[in-house]
Amino acid sequence: MQSIWYRREFLLLFASTLAVSVTGSMTMVSTGWLVLELTGSPLSLGIIWATRAAPHLIFGMLAGAVADRFDRRHLLLGILIVLVSASFLFGSLITNNMIELGHVFLFILTTSSLKTFTMPARQALVVDVVGRDHVMRSIALNSVGLRMMGFIGGAVAGVLIGMWNVASPFYLMSFCYGSGFILLWMTPSEKTQSDKDVVKQVSLWTHYREGFAIITQNHVVAALVTIAVLCEILGFSYQVLLPLFARDVVNVGAVGLGTFTAAQSLGGLIATVALTAGSQYRSKGQLLLVLYLVFGVSLLLFAQSSVYFVSLLLICLTGGVAAAFDAMQHILLQLNVAEQQRGRAMGIWQLSIGFGPVGHVMLGFMAASFGPFVALTMNGILIIISFLAILLTTDLKAV
């Protein structure tokens, strides 16, 4: 553990991750509530979430190739500058009563597209710093930081909206992006990729094609992609309906929505801490399958609850399972590809989560037609059924 924490570059990178990670849950709460105020439509929520996830499908593989081809630190610094400006401008539009639904779509599309390129670069940069021997612990610690700040960010966004207005979280997000930029800029810039010179000898298009080749030639990666796609469509899409459950099912408003988001982040924090403690767990593929099953069960239970406290506990469980599932996906992908393919491995993961829009629109449409209870119940049942199919058709249990 000391070999990680006593490295200045890891501490600064980790601190930058904390500063940036707080914006994720703040964006979820703030844009979700803003869309409800503007439209009141579950389908609009689904389309907004689809817009948020679509760049992963469009740019996911390209982002992985870029992370392997170019300087990861410089890439992250450039993106953070744009995110600072975009968040401040969006908050100004709300403050001046100039906001329209089209602005929300543009903001989500822009920021999500940029963040698509940050994920593989930041995850690969973490492994650059700590080495492959500490990959599970470092990624789990990174996830701990992300979930910890997600817990804070969701609660803060709800409180800010309740006390002032929906614009205030976006100004705070701009400040957080700026803080992340400064911390990353302070990170030592010496070359950390031992094979960087070799990587630069081939074109970006070659990296892009090789990313798809990894899926077709590596049966473990192919299985991971399959389960990731299913989980994105049926599992992670539940977040589309949280504003509806907060407003219409348990009647707790924007502050309650922020608490929902904080609770799922708290669950994620607990899960990733546990994952860090069990970093030497051998049957990682088996653990991933178990998490997928529990994900479906937790969604099924949450859909049945109309009691706020019970719903909080269940969404905490759901958030924990979701976070652990994500972390295990990252770990298994990083461990089952060659050293020079780690950026593209995360691009493959982003390609997988790019299928999320299918689930977001589907869930939004079902909620608009039959109500959030029926929509989320159906998704939970489908996860359980697909788990049984995966169990019979893949060999992830042996990974």
Side-chain angles (χ1 to χ4, degrees), residues 28 52 56 119 123 136 139-140 142-144 146-147 224 227-229 231-232 235-236 238-239 268 271-272 275 287-289 291-292 295 318-334 345-346 349-350 352-354:
M28 289 165 53
R52 180 176 180 266
H56 293 293
M119 175 65 77
Q123 288 285 36
M136 184 163 180
I139 290 177
N142 223 36
S143 296
V144 168
L146 189 152
R147 305 298 168 178
L224 290 171
I227 192 171
V229 168
C231 198
E232 282 299 321
F236 285 96
Y238 80 91
Q239 296 175 87
T272 46
L275 201 61
L287 177 58
L288 184 74
L289 291 174
L291 289 169
Y292 183 64
F295 203 157
T318 302
V321 174
F325 182 90
D326 257 357
M328 289 307 303
Q329 281 276 344
H330 297 172
I331 291 163
L332 286 167
L333 281 169
Q334 292 281 321
M346 294 313 301
W349 174 76
Q350 292 207 118
S352 304
I353 67 175

Side-chain angles (χ1 to χ4, degrees), residues 133-161:
D133 291 342
H134 300 286
V135 60
M136 184 163 180
R137 178 160 289 169
S138 63
I139 290 177
L141 283 171
N142 223 36
S143 296
V144 168
L146 189 152
R147 305 298 168 178
M148 179 174 66
M149 300 312 290
F151 168 70
I152 296 171
V156 168
V159 170
L160 288 177
I161 294 171

Side-chain angles (χ1 to χ4, degrees), residues 92-372:
S92 299
L93 288 174
I94 300 173
T95 300
N96 292 290
N97 296 317
M98 299 171 62
I99 197 71
E100 297 178 4
L101 187 61
H103 296 136
V104 184
F105 280 109
L106 182 60
F107 174 76
I108 291 295
L109 182 61
T110 301
T111 55
S112 296
S113 296
L114 291 171
K115 287 184 177 182
T116 299
F117 286 85
T118 66
M119 175 65 77
R122 188 175 290 273
Q123 288 285 36
L125 190 58
V126 169
V127 183
D128 286 342
V129 169
V130 303
R132 292 176 74 91
D133 291 342
H134 300 286
V135 60
M136 184 163 180
R137 178 160 289 169
S138 63
I139 290 177
L141 283 171
N142 223 36
S143 296
V144 168
L146 189 152
R147 305 298 168 178
M148 179 174 66
M149 300 312 290
F151 168 70
I152 296 171
V156 168
V159 170
L160 288 177
I161 294 171
M163 292 181 62
W164 286 287
N165 53 51
V166 75
S168 50
F170 294 97
Y171 293 123
L172 181 56
M173 279 186 257
S174 183
F175 173 79
C176 292
Y177 286 129
S179 301
F181 173 88
I182 293 171
L183 289 164
L184 186 59
W185 179 74
M186 293 168 59
T187 304
S189 59
E190 60 265 29
K191 184 166 59 178
T192 51
Q193 287 174 270
S194 59
D195 54 350
K196 178 65 78 177
D197 293 334
V198 176
V199 170
K200 285 186 175 179
Q201 292 176 8
V202 295
S203 68
L204 182 61
W205 175 245
T206 300
H207 281 294
Y208 191 73
R209 287 189 293 106
E210 287 178 354
F212 284 101
I214 293 171
I215 299 175
T216 59
Q217 297 171 7
N218 188 322
H219 72 279
V220 174
V221 172
L224 290 171
V225 167
T226 300
I227 192 171
V229 168
L230 287 171
C231 198
E232 282 299 321
I233 294 174
L234 301 174
F236 285 96
S237 55
Y238 80 91
Q239 296 175 87
V240 169
L241 299 184
L242 286 185
L244 278 177
F245 273 91
R247 189 189 68 175
D248 300 335
V249 178
V250 292
N251 303 308
V252 289
V255 175
L257 174 59
T259 308
F260 268 162
T261 306
Q264 67 178 355
S265 296
L266 176 61
L269 175 61
I270 295 170
T272 46
V273 168
L275 201 61
T276 304
S279 60
Q280 302 306 313
Y281 187 78
R282 292 185 177 180
S283 302
K284 297 178 178 65
Q286 188 176 51
L287 177 58
L288 184 74
L289 291 174
V290 171
L291 289 169
Y292 183 64
L293 173 62
V294 178
F295 203 157
V297 173
S298 67
L299 289 181
L300 195 58
L301 294 174
F302 177 77
Q304 317 308 310
S305 174
S306 59
V307 178
Y308 180 50
F309 178 72
V310 175
S311 295
L312 273 180
L313 293 177
L314 291 171
I315 208 64
C316 183
L317 171 63
T318 302
V321 174
F325 182 90
D326 257 357
M328 289 307 303
Q329 281 276 344
H330 297 172
I331 291 163
L332 286 167
L333 281 169
Q334 292 281 321
L335 291 177
N336 285 280
V337 297
E339 184 74 19
Q340 68 272 20
Q341 296 174 331
R342 289 188 284 106
R344 277 162 289 176
M346 294 313 301
I348 290 168
W349 174 76
Q350 292 207 118
L351 176 69
S352 304
I353 67 175
F355 285 86
V358 176
H360 300 145
V361 175
M362 180 180 72
L363 198 59
F365 176 77
M366 289 178 62
S369 302
F370 308 109

